[in-house]
Amino acid sequence: MIWWFIALLPPLACALAYGRAPFFAWAGMGFAWLAGFGWAAGWPSALTGTVLVLFAALAAIFLLQPLRRRFVTRPIFRAFRAALPSMSQTERDALEAGTVWWEGELFGGRPAWAKLLSYPWPKLTPEEQSFLDKETSELCRLTDDWKATQRQDLSPEAWRYIKEQGFLGMIIPKEYGGKGFSAYAHSQVVTKLSTRSSAPAVTVMVPNSLGPAELLLHYGTPEQKSHYLPRLAKGLEIPAFALTSPWAGSDAASIPDSGVVCKGEWQGREVLGMRVSFDKRYITLAPVCTVFGLAFRLYDPDGLLGANPDLGITCALVPADHPGVNIGRRHFPLNAVWMNGPIRGRDVFMPLDFIIGGPQMAGQGWRMLMECLAAGRSISLPGSNTGMQKMTARAVGAYARVRYQFKTAIGRFEGVEEALTRIGANTYLSDAARVMTAGAVDLGEKPSVVSAIVKYHVTERARQTVNDGMDVVGGKGICLGPQNMLGRAYQQIPVGITVEGANILTRSLILFGQGAIRCHPYVLDEMHAAQRGELALFDKAFWGHIGYTVSNAVRACVMGITGSHFVTVPENVAPETRRYYQQLTRFSAAFAFIADISMGTMGGALKRKEKLSARLGDILSLMYLASAVLRRYEAEGRQAADAPLMHWAIWDCMFRAQNAFEGVIANFPNQFLATLLRRVVVFPLGRPYVVPSDELGHEVAKLLIEPSPTRDRLTSDVYLPKDLEEPAGSLEAALLATVEAEPVEAKVRRAQKEGRFEPGLLVGGGVDAIWQRAFDAGVISADEFALLKRRGELRDKVIRVDDFPYDFGLREVLAEIEPATGKAMPAAA
């Protein structure tokens, strides 16, 4: 009996921990177990009673709040406050900005999958769909990327259309003359434009994200809104936002640009204002803007606004023609056409009314920026980079079927299949994350951590996708010209990697550094309690944290040992995805525990261990991406033909997350804890995921190289011109012709092997001479011969590479510019 009681203790404790039972349940179980153990061991009644009284007294200290706070929590509280590093208001604003959404469920160790499945999948209204189909398609038609590259600007017709059709005011409410579109509609428009060219996409997305309509909508005074919003909506104003400084790029909170509150002359009278000096760069639309938002640190040494001499970061709205503003020059970002340049000014006087929100919002700029940056990260960059991937998937998939080497479509070689697989699955995953995150914004969320996740991972996967595409198209991709459908995207991929917070910084400092505090159910409350000196709040958060950590440890261990087969998931999920929900639940619990152990053992030093922090951020991110894929699969009706894309994307996420776990454990400073984490909690039975199989990859690649509803869904909203002189148009036509001609080609090859006709040497006859011989020999009909000829003509359009005069026409241009010099142009070397 004694041994039975001893053996019963661990499973009882595990059951309580797994179910995250309250402490009184632990106390009751402990009391009952001790009583039973005393009886089984034959203890005297006095001894049993004494042990039970001591246990009850100890339990009472933890169960009765006044006792627990005085004797247990208070010493811990003091130590926590002493160890907690000081935090500036700027850091506090950054940490507390935005809201916590689905990422909080993943961080908590017990994701409520029913909640994920209940989130509405975004849909366009009829008005939004019409704008996407008509106005957005027309803007694509008006955009010729190659011609725009030559002139380094969009055409006047495109600019006029952007302004007149309200592209600059999509997020502005209708009451101010804007479109009042949803975040999802904004994302769809940017995605579609990006399948055509980065120039209209960036031109449209910047005014509809941070700068500065978003700030005006949330913080502007009634006067500022009524003046600027209608003008922005009608395209009468072109906005920009000046944040980045040469000395503070990703560390935007450290901008040296500053202003001093003072009196000065404005419109003929003396007013209270600011004298501001600023030097900004990388400002999109700066060379053509008419008004720009400006972020700077405002000081009030004379106390004209109050007692605080350092008011903090402030945002103002400044006309581009304001006296002292130096604007109009431009940068040359990787040969991109969209406008980008510096904005400078020295001792520029501006009235306090220029501050967004008026003088009362002086010093509130950083909070304003942190709360609104989610738009750029959640919508614009994921949209533009997903658009690049969709175009790559559509174009490269077609090219791989049209382009033959060794008498075989290159898309059927396993080496090319490998690249096509990544292209297809990454596009599917990125689009899922883009749509789900835009939907969160439309639900009223300001997902600061999720926005960083999608910004980082969608841009990185876009880099992989475009690189893979360049590998497939080979020599055609490296020669720029109007027939190159991929080279410009390849040039400009680093832009998305760099802007809105460099990806290295985002991964190593933000994803987990900010996520650990914002998403954790207890850490932020503990910090607030320590900073405010609130023992009661700390007591509640701290002991909740302890139970949370113990529960996640046990849950991860139990799920690891059982392979997570007994994890409960909603009954209405697709049967083929059920195991993914179970494994993600297991990974979530393991992540929650390992995150707590990391923060608990390393404390503030974890912030400096950027590699560990980055890997922890990878785990959280990959669980979010996998969740988005699962939600998309359900929302689109569990399309069986799309399943290979879903399966490959999930396996890739889980395999990468598994490797990130291993990377954290292998480099954990405390080797004892590392062994415990690996052998007991995270991987008790080994690592369950391997790389996605070659067979699955073959199925994914096949979806890209032949017409199908799946290919259309994967590359939806790609702009496809009808003109066969355009690469996208000729590729689509060539793909259809190739698929139709392949049975005829096979027929000719069989006839040749059977000796039904003699192809001859084909000297001078070209690659298609064999079809003429087959026709002459009666092997194929006139219609079949015509089909093969058309296939060959379209193939030749697709594989051609642009060439130019040896001087690219510069001699002719220079001769027109300086006709009066009479000097002969130098001969070519």
Side-chain angles (χ1 to χ4, degrees):
M1 288 294 292
I2 294 175
W3 290 110
W4 275 108
F5 268 93
I6 293 174
L8 188 62
L9 184 59
L12 283 174
C14 285
L16 291 173
Y18 193 96
R20 205 169 290 180
F23 186 73
F24 70 81
W26 285 84
M29 187 276 289
F31 192 90
W33 184 87
L34 278 174
F37 184 84
W39 168 77
W43 287 353
S45 299
L47 177 60
T48 302
T50 301
V51 170
L52 291 176
V53 167
L54 291 174
F55 179 83
L58 182 63
I61 294 176
F62 287 91
L63 285 170
L64 300 176
Q65 286 185 354
L67 294 176
R68 183 178 68 234
R69 290 174 186 170
R70 179 176 181 180
F71 295 108
V72 183
T73 307
R74 189 181 299 277
I76 298 172
F77 184 51
R78 289 172 180 165
F80 188 90
R81 294 191 71 186
L84 188 68
S86 60
M87 186 182 299
S88 68
Q89 185 60 45
T90 301
E91 291 176 310
R92 187 175 293 110
D93 287 341
L95 282 175
E96 298 179 2
T99 58
V100 176
W101 189 55
W102 177 248
E103 74 278 25
E105 292 285 333
L106 296 170
F107 208 105
R110 301 179 73 175
W113 296 112
K115 181 186 292 187
L116 174 71
L117 297 173
S118 71
Y119 291 137
W121 195 248
K123 293 183 179 180
L124 297 178
T125 66
E127 180 186 2
E128 292 169 341
Q129 186 66 59
S130 175
F131 188 83
L132 186 69
D133 294 339
K134 296 177 182 177
E135 284 84 352
T136 307
S137 294
E138 177 62 12
L139 179 54
C140 288
R141 188 190 69 79
L142 291 171
T143 302
D144 186 313
D145 195 65
W146 180 250
K147 290 180 180 178
T149 301
Q150 304 313 298
R151 66 188 300 154
Q152 278 300 301
D153 196 3
L154 289 166
S155 68
E157 294 79 10
W159 269 112
R160 184 165 53 250
Y161 195 79
I162 286 171
K163 296 175 184 178
E164 292 176 352
Q165 298 302 319
F167 279 92
L168 302 183
M170 291 190 296
I171 68 167
I172 296 175
K174 291 184 177 181
E175 63 189 278
Y176 294 106
K179 297 290 184 184
F181 282 174
S182 63
Y184 176 56
H186 172 194
S187 177
Q188 289 290 88
V189 170
V190 170
T191 299
K192 185 165 188 172
L193 291 174
S194 297
T195 69
R196 180 64 166 168
S197 167
S198 67
V202 174
T203 301
V204 166
M205 77 188 193
V206 168
N208 288 286
S209 53
L210 181 61
E214 181 88 3
L215 292 170
L216 282 172
L217 285 169
H218 289 92
Y219 308 105
T221 64
E223 294 77 16
Q224 289 171 337
K225 291 179 179 180
S226 62
H227 174 75
Y228 279 111
L229 290 177
R231 295 179 60 81
L232 289 167
K234 295 176 182 177
L236 300 176
E237 301 278 8
I238 299 178
F241 194 88
L243 173 61
T244 306
S245 160
W247 301 277
S250 295
D251 184 15
S254 299
I255 51 175
D257 313 282
S258 61
V260 177
V261 178
C262 61
K263 292 183 178 181
E265 187 173 326
W266 172 247
Q267 296 181 339
R269 60 189 178 90
E270 186 179 66
V271 299
L272 191 60
M274 311 164 287
R275 195 164 297 280
V276 187
S277 294
F278 48 93
D279 186 351
K280 303 291 189 178
R281 67 181 180 188
Y282 309 144
I283 311 306
T284 305
L285 297 185
V288 296
C289 75
T290 60
V291 62
F292 63 92
L294 177 67
F296 58 94
R297 183 171 290 277
L298 185 60
Y299 297 92
D300 185 16
D302 298 328
L304 298 176
L305 294 181
N308 186 3
D310 183 357
L311 295 174
I313 292 176
T314 300
C315 293
L317 202 55
V318 186
D321 60 358
H322 188 73
V325 172
N326 182 356
I327 196 170
R329 294 181 65 81
R330 67 187 293 187
H331 301 310
F332 196 22
L334 296 176
N335 207 28
V337 172
W338 40 270
M339 294 291 175
N340 187 277
I343 301 179
R344 302 183 179 98
R346 185 168 184 81
D347 294 329
V348 178
F349 180 79
M350 53 189 73
L352 290 178
D353 288 343
F354 277 20
I355 296 175
I356 296 176
Q360 65 270 23
M361 293 301 288
Q364 301 299 308
W366 189 244
R367 177 174 63 85
M368 294 159 61
L369 291 171
M370 288 297 98
E371 291 178 352
C372 291
L373 272 173
R377 288 177 173 168
S378 300
I379 301 168
S380 299
L381 288 168
S384 60
N385 281 266
T386 300
M388 281 188 198
Q389 293 187 75
K390 288 190 173 192
M391 187 65 220
T392 302
R394 187 96 187 181
V396 174
Y399 184 86
R401 183 68 172 268
V402 173
R403 179 64 160 151
Y404 271 50
Q405 296 282 271
F406 308 104
K407 300 179 181 180
T408 304
I410 63 173
R412 293 195 167 100
F413 290 103
E414 287 199 354
V416 174
E417 270 193 353
E418 195 170 20
L420 290 174
T421 298
R422 287 193 296 267
I423 291 172
N426 281 334
T427 301
Y428 184 87
L429 178 147
S430 296
D431 202 26
R434 171 189 73 90
V435 173
M436 191 167 93
T437 306
V441 176
D442 283 329
L443 290 173
E445 301 289 343
K446 294 181 179 178
S448 56
V449 176
V450 161
S451 66
I453 289 173
V454 292
K455 187 273 174 182
Y456 171 78
H457 283 277
V458 172
T459 56
E460 287 294 342
R461 288 183 185 253
R463 171 154 57 181
Q464 176 73 69
T465 295
V466 175
N467 281 342
D468 281 330
M470 288 291 285
D471 285 349
V472 174
V473 300
K476 181 179 174 66
I478 64 172
C479 293
L480 288 176
Q483 295 304 313
N484 189 330
M485 71 286 193
L486 208 57
R488 305 282 288 128
Y490 180 77
Q491 281 183 302
Q492 294 166 33
I493 271 293
V495 174
I497 304 298
T498 303
V499 300
E500 294 279 10
N503 274 9
I504 290 178
L505 172 143
T506 300
R507 176 173 178 259
S508 59
L509 293 180
I510 295 178
L511 294 180
F512 183 77
Q514 184 178 6
I517 296 174
R518 288 297 286 129
C519 300
H520 197 287
Y522 298 104
V523 166
L524 193 58
D525 286 343
E526 290 170 335
M527 294 174 64
H528 283 161
Q531 290 159 358
R532 300 168 188 166
E534 297 181 10
L535 179 61
L537 176 60
F538 181 83
D539 178 81
K540 180 180 179 181
F542 178 78
W543 292 108
H545 192 163
I546 294 297
Y548 163 87
T549 303
V550 172
S551 175
N552 282 323
V554 172
R555 284 168 52 79
C557 179
V558 171
M559 285 187 278
I561 292 172
T562 61
S564 69
H565 284 281
F566 301 103
V567 174
T568 301
V569 297
E571 292 294 331
N572 59 335
V573 302
E576 62 269 28
T577 64
R578 184 176 182 80
R579 287 292 295 142
Y580 298 143
Y581 290 95
Q582 293 178 323
Q583 290 281 31
L584 276 169
T585 300
R586 170 195 170 183
F587 274 26
S588 175
F591 169 75
F593 180 67
I594 202 171
D596 264 334
I597 293 299
S598 298
M599 290 187 288
T601 58
M602 287 177 267
L606 182 59
K607 183 178 180 180
R608 296 186 294 275
K609 293 185 178 297
E610 294 179 17
K611 296 174 186 177
L612 280 179
S613 180
R615 294 180 186 115
L616 289 165
D618 288 343
I619 300 169
L620 177 62
S621 300
L622 291 161
M623 290 192 296
Y624 180 81
L625 297 177
S627 299
V629 170
L630 291 171
R631 184 67 189 92
R632 173 181 182 171
Y633 187 69
E634 290 289 342
E636 293 183 347
R638 306 177 185 177
Q639 299 288 341
D642 299 0
L645 294 163
M646 177 272 295
H647 287 302
W648 203 97
I650 294 287
W651 272 85
D652 181 64
C653 284
M654 298 299 280
F655 180 69
R656 293 189 189 206
Q658 182 177 266
N659 287 346
F661 270 118
E662 186 61 46
V664 172
I665 295 169
N667 293 279
F668 210 77
N670 187 313
Q671 286 302 301
F672 172 77
L673 285 176
T675 302
L676 180 69
L677 288 169
R678 178 184 287 111
R679 302 298 183 191
V680 179
V681 179
V682 183
F683 299 125
L685 299 181
R687 297 188 290 176
Y689 281 92
V690 296
V691 295
S693 71
D694 291 345
E695 181 58 34
L696 181 58
H698 169 74
E699 293 179 30
V700 172
K702 187 178 178 182
L703 294 172
L704 266 64
I705 66 173
E706 57 188 34
S708 69
T710 292
R711 181 171 179 264
D712 291 338
R713 280 190 293 270
L714 179 67
T715 61
S716 60
D717 300 319
V718 171
Y719 176 71
L720 296 173
K722 301 298 183 183
D723 186 355
L724 295 184
E725 292 304 311
E726 295 224 31
S730 60
L731 272 166
E732 285 300 298
L735 173 62
L736 295 175
T738 298
V739 172
E740 191 176 2
E742 281 179 347
V744 183
E745 291 181 0
K747 177 180 178 180
V748 173
R749 299 297 182 191
R750 286 195 303 270
Q752 181 185 356
K753 287 183 179 181
E754 294 168 0
R756 294 175 57 190
F757 74 99
E758 178 57 48
L761 296 176
L762 305 181
V763 176
V767 295
D768 292 331
I770 188 173
W771 316 130
Q772 179 70 55
R773 303 282 177 83
F775 174 64
D776 293 340
V779 172
I780 55 176
S781 68
D783 288 343
E784 290 173 325
F785 180 51
L787 175 61
L788 291 173
K789 282 186 64 177
R790 174 168 171 74
R791 188 263 180 191
E793 291 166 358
L794 290 170
R795 175 206 60 211
D796 291 346
K797 283 183 179 294
V798 165
I799 67 175
R800 65 182 170 179
V801 174
D802 298 288
D803 50 57
F804 305 92
Y806 77 95
D807 63 349
F808 293 98
L810 293 178
R811 289 165 62 90
E812 183 179 345
V813 173
L814 291 173
E816 292 176 358
I817 294 174
E818 300 179 0
T821 61
K823 296 180 180 179
M825 297 293 290

